[in-house]
Amino acid sequence: MLFVGNPSAAPGTFHVSNTEIYATPELPPAVAEKVEKKPTVITMNVSAYTVAEGNGDGLTASGVEGTPFYTCAADDLPFGTKLLIDGKIWVVQDRFGGGYENRIDLLMETTEQCFSFGRQWIPVEIIE
C-alpha cells in the first residue's frame, strides 16, 4: 500500500492501490536536440558568382561539380551545410578561399544573373 499526502495519516484514510507510477522517459539526445533546436537565422552578405564564362572546370573546393542555383560558397561553414535563402535551399560546396566570415556566394548560370543579383544583406537560415 502506498500512502500519499500526510505521512502521519491513519492507514486506510487515503491510498492508491494497484497503481504503478511511471517516470516520463527522457528523449534520446539526438531527438531532444532536434526538438529543442530553434532555427539559426543570420543576416549575411550574399553575392553571386558563375563559372560559365571563366576558364575553370566547374569543380568546387569540395571536389564536386557546381550546380547553378544549388551550390554556394562559404569559408566559415562546413561543406554540406544546407541554407535556406529566400525560400530556396542552397548547399555549401565551395569556398571563397580568403577566410571570410558571414558571407555567402551563390553559384548562378550567367554573368548577367550575377550582376542582376548584386550584393545583398539577406537573412539566411542554417538548416543543417
Side-chain angles (χ1 to χ4, degrees):
M1 189 179 305
L2 173 68
F3 292 98
V4 179
N6 185 348
S8 63
T13 58
F14 186 77
H15 69 277
V16 178
S17 59
N18 299 326
T19 302
E20 293 183 31
I21 300 173
Y22 295 94
T24 303
E26 291 186 24
L27 294 172
V31 174
E33 182 179 316
K34 287 182 181 179
V35 169
E36 296 172 7
K37 191 174 184 179
K38 294 188 170 106
T40 302
V41 178
I42 303 169
T43 300
M44 301 182 87
N45 187 336
V46 183
S47 55
Y49 72 112
T50 185
V51 294
E53 287 118 26
N55 54 6
D57 57 9
L59 287 181
T60 63
S62 65
V64 300
E65 188 171 336
T67 304
F69 303 103
Y70 178 77
T71 297
C72 66
D75 285 347
D76 58 344
L77 296 171
F79 289 135
T81 300
K82 292 181 182 173
L83 308 172
L84 184 63
I85 303 172
D86 286 337
K88 178 153 181 28
I89 294 178
W90 296 80
V91 178
V92 176
Q93 296 179 321
D94 210 356
R95 296 282 187 237
F96 284 96
Y100 295 102
E101 293 181 7
N102 199 28
R103 193 166 167 204
I104 301 290
D105 212 7
L106 308 177
L107 180 60
M108 297 192 177
E109 290 178 344
T110 67
T111 302
E112 291 79 24
Q113 291 168 334
C114 294
F115 284 129
S116 176
F117 184 83
R119 181 178 304 278
Q120 307 174 38
W121 284 93
I122 300 176
V124 175
E125 181 177 337
I126 300 173
I127 298 174
E128 52 182 59

